Amino acid sequence: MATTSLRAPGRRSRAAGVVIASVFVLAGCAAERPTEAASPRVPAGASPVPAVPSLGAPTPVAGGFTTPWSVAFVDGTALVSERDTGRILEVVDGGTRVVGEIPSATPGGEGGLLGIAARDGWLYAYATTADDNRVLRLPLEGAPGALRLGSAQTVIDGIPSANIHNGGRIAFGPDGMLYITAGDASDPGAAQDTEALGGKILRVAPDGSVPADNPFPGSPVWSLGHRNPQGIGWDAAGTMYASEFGQNTWDELNVIEPGANYGWPEVEGIGGREGFVDPVQQWAPAEASPSGLAVVDGAVVIANLRGERVRVVPTGDPSAAEEFFVGEYGRLRDVAAAPDGSLWVVTSDTDRGGGDTDEILRVPLVRD
């Protein structure tokens, strides 16, 4: 099978085959994992030959952030959420200005102001409050360079919250619906309970109503059996991908299907068990801890926290991967597709005491 070579300057791992091989050697050594589960699942209709871009040299976009978590673009202007301050910042001419704050956001542990998305004049924000996790929407007023936030409306509330495992990524799918990643909030059993919102990916209309074609009638639950998913995106064919933090053994990349069960806490990683959907790829947490992702040009591009790298997975062969910038920029929280065709990569060292500030890097896509 032909494989497109990915190239980038600086220090990084080029041995994608070694990464994948080591994953499956470890999988074979795990006594509880059956032999037939050693190969990741490839989604139906995937192209047999991946065609993916290379990543060019990063350059700074802006700095001085405190726990930046998510990026959303509005008419070419970037907005950034800060988890621990509750602020929404606008990137302007290499600097930032405060657009507003999410007053109900209550930081603590992994909670606070998390994912954001923009659509039709609204800013949507996932926030940990004193009582729960919820999605709010606020009118975006003014023009780029002078944006401000109006009064908040609740889109969905009652998502379980805890010091850890809050999920928090939100994005609009190609169907115009809002998708929300909800962690298990330290209650693993909730992930298998279709009546609970924890440990799920949720799907609602922009106003918070439940779409009639959701897999569980009257419920916002789209998929279940998740531990702590923090990245979602779609390819050109509409296939949905999600990155997920495992516990101690495997982090995951999954292809998400409505009503499907991804196994947690019964299965972590590739288990080959009937009734559960296996990931298309898995990694040891020390090399991954995958957070935000973007799907661009035939590739799923994933920001990794503990692994301190950007990982590129071809959608045509999601069992393969290439790694960039390993250890060069510290923990990486999010990656977003910018209007100019580049990727923005968000660092995340201030949340673990590794630095005084964080930054956003612009990474060009090099297309052969």
Side-chain angles (χ1 to χ4, degrees):
M1 177 183 295
T3 302
T4 301
S5 174
L6 294 170
R7 301 178 300 277
R11 293 184 291 112
R12 64 177 178 87
S13 168
R14 297 190 57 86
V18 172
V19 173
I20 303 305
S22 64
V23 165
F24 299 127
V25 168
L26 289 171
C29 293
E32 69 276 18
R33 310 207 184 279
T35 303
E36 61 269 21
S39 296
R41 186 175 62 90
V42 177
S47 169
V49 179
V52 296
S54 303
L55 301 188
T59 55
V61 171
F65 297 99
T66 301
T67 58
W69 214 91
S70 182
V71 176
F73 290 94
V74 181
D75 297 329
T77 296
L79 300 179
V80 182
S81 64
E82 288 188 327
R83 187 190 71 189
D84 292 349
T85 68
R87 300 188 303 178
I88 301 293
L89 303 178
E90 182 179 8
V91 177
V92 181
D93 297 328
T96 61
R97 58 174 293 273
V98 177
V99 173
E101 296 185 10
I102 307 300
S104 58
T106 305
E110 296 174 1
L113 175 57
L114 303 179
I116 57 174
R119 191 176 183 91
D120 298 332
W122 295 89
L123 179 73
Y124 292 75
Y126 185 108
T128 308
T129 74
D131 302 312
D132 61 5
N133 283 306
R134 60 182 60 188
V135 177
L136 307 169
R137 67 175 185 176
L138 305 91
L140 275 170
E141 302 170 347
L147 291 170
R148 59 186 183 275
L149 300 177
S151 298
Q153 300 177 4
T154 299
V155 175
I156 182 172
D157 58 10
I159 302 170
S161 64
N163 194 55
I164 57 175
H165 302 179
N166 289 291
R169 195 71 58 186
I170 61 176
F172 282 94
D175 57 3
M177 298 295 107
L178 180 65
Y179 291 77
I180 303 157
T181 71
D184 70 8
S186 299
D187 180 10
Q192 290 295 318
D193 181 358
T194 58
E195 300 298 319
L197 299 184
K200 309 294 191 301
I201 293 177
L202 310 175
R203 177 183 185 251
V204 297
D207 64 358
S209 60
V210 175
D213 59 347
N214 271 14
F216 304 99
S219 171
V221 172
W222 186 247
S223 62
L224 65 152
H226 300 287
R227 182 175 181 268
N228 192 22
Q230 282 194 2
I232 48 176
W234 293 261
D235 67 15
T239 300
M240 182 179 181
Y241 296 84
S243 58
E244 182 167 338
F245 291 85
Q247 184 167 324
N248 300 314
T249 309
W250 299 119
D251 293 335
E252 301 177 357
L253 177 66
N254 287 294
V255 169
I256 302 300
E257 299 165 351
N261 188 331
Y262 291 84
W264 176 254
E266 302 300 321
V267 178
E268 182 181 353
I270 297 168
R273 288 179 55 180
E274 184 177 357
F276 300 130
V277 179
D278 280 340
V280 293
Q281 193 165 162
Q282 62 185 19
W283 307 280
E287 298 175 350
S289 298
S291 189
L293 65 78
V295 186
V296 293
D297 287 9
V300 183
V301 184
I302 309 168
N304 292 270
L305 291 163
R306 286 182 64 189
E308 298 186 353
R309 67 197 68 187
V310 174
R311 182 173 275 116
V312 177
V313 176
T315 58
D317 181 8
S319 65
E322 187 79 8
E323 299 176 352
F324 294 82
F325 321 128
V326 179
E328 293 187 30
Y329 300 101
R331 292 160 51 86
L332 303 178
R333 172 66 69 181
D334 194 18
V335 58
D340 66 358
S342 68
L343 292 172
W344 283 22
V345 177
V346 179
T347 71
S348 187
D349 284 321
T350 51
D351 67 334
R352 294 296 173 93
D356 296 327
T357 64
D358 279 304
E359 63 181 340
I360 294 177
L361 305 168
R362 180 185 182 275
V363 179
L365 296 176
V366 180
R367 300 169 175 87
D368 292 335

